[in-house]
Amino acid sequence: MNYLLYAGIIFLTHVLFNRYQRKISLSFGKLLGLTVILLLLSAVISTFIGTLQPVILSTLVTAVLLQNTYLRNIQTRNK
């Protein structure tokens, strides 16, 4: 059941990011910094909750965002 939830979150993150990527105009460095802050915050939340679910979910979401941003940067360089 958890795997279906994680797959759905990855899919929705990918779809929403592709749909609104023009409105999200963060550079790769800023997005990387926000990723670190989000992962630290999710680690603190998961410590209080007692489960790793927030860390896993935030890692999946930020990985998709970083991957899409990196691939978009490569595509614009090659054009």
Side-chain angles (χ1 to χ4, degrees), residues 1-46:
M1 186 67 184
N2 285 339
Y3 295 121
L4 291 174
L5 176 71
Y6 298 152
I9 288 173
I10 289 173
F11 179 73
L12 286 176
T13 303
H14 181 72
V15 168
L16 290 174
F17 186 74
N18 283 339
R19 182 176 291 174
Y20 297 111
Q21 78 185 69
R22 300 229 192 302
K23 293 181 182 179
I24 302 172
S25 60
L26 294 174
S27 67
F28 189 72
K30 288 180 184 178
L31 193 60
L32 190 61
L34 288 174
T35 299
V36 171
I37 291 171
L38 180 66
L39 289 175
L40 289 174
L41 182 66
S42 67
V44 169
I45 291 171
S46 70

